[in-house]
């Protein structure tokens, strides 16, 4: 589950967003699924965020990411906190964004996929046991 960007852009309270995520994870776990969660990305590196707002957006992203990770872990999900690695890549290379300068491009999705792969492989291995 890659989650959080829409919650941030729609100003959803971190506790509410995390509670909804926790419910979804518990439902999936009860059905026997292994769950991997990539919590809220650092949206401060999105090109259209004004430089004066980057610190505020970064703090909001961090708050939501922390709350989502806490709830997801408690609900039995594996956490793939890819924000550190992918945020740096996105900040350094605007071609990782699609033309709308918000969503990832194909190259951006490749960066995200590479960051997620180790945690997804670990979850798949656990599911086979």
């Amino acid at each position: 589950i890659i989650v959080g960007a829409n919650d941030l852009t729609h100003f959803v309270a971190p506790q509410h967003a995390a509670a909804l995520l926790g419910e979804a994870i518990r439902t999936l776990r009860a059905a026997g699924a292994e769950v991997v969660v990539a919590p809220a990305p650092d949206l401060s590196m999105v090109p259209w965020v004004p430089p004066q707002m980057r610190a505020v957006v970064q703090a909001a992203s961090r708050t939501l990411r922390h709350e989502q990770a806490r709830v997801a872990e408690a609900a039995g999900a594996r956490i793939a906190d890819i924000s550190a690695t992918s945020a740096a890549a996105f900040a350094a290379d605007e071609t990782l964004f699609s033309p709308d300068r918000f969503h990832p491009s194909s190259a951006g999705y490749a960066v995200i996929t590479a960051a997620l792969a180790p945690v997804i492989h670990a979850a798949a291995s656990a599911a086979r046991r």
Side-chain angles (χ1 to χ4, degrees):
I1 301 173
I2 299 175
V3 66
N6 288 333
D7 294 319
L8 288 163
T9 62
H10 292 90
F11 301 103
V12 176
Q15 295 77 13
H16 180 67
L20 294 173
L21 175 62
E23 288 175 31
I25 294 166
R26 284 187 292 280
T27 300
L28 290 167
R29 295 290 293 149
E34 289 291 326
V35 180
V36 174
V37 173
D42 179 0
L43 290 187
S44 69
M45 58 36 199
V46 170
W48 54 258
V49 173
Q52 313 86 308
M53 296 300 296
R54 291 195 191 280
V56 171
V57 172
Q58 186 176 50
S61 298
R62 184 175 39 253
T63 298
L64 179 56
R65 183 171 46 260
H66 174 77
E67 191 65 17
Q68 287 175 326
R70 183 186 67 74
V71 168
E73 190 171 57
R78 293 172 186 264
I79 308 303
D81 192 355
I82 63 171
S83 184
T85 55
S86 50
F90 277 82
D93 185 357
E94 286 194 19
T95 67
L96 298 180
F97 289 97
S98 67
D100 71 4
R101 296 173 23 129
F102 180 76
H103 293 94
S105 65
S106 294
Y109 279 115
V111 167
I112 293 167
T113 301
L116 287 171
V119 182
I120 291 171
H121 286 235
S125 293
R128 284 187 229 121
R129 292 183 194 145

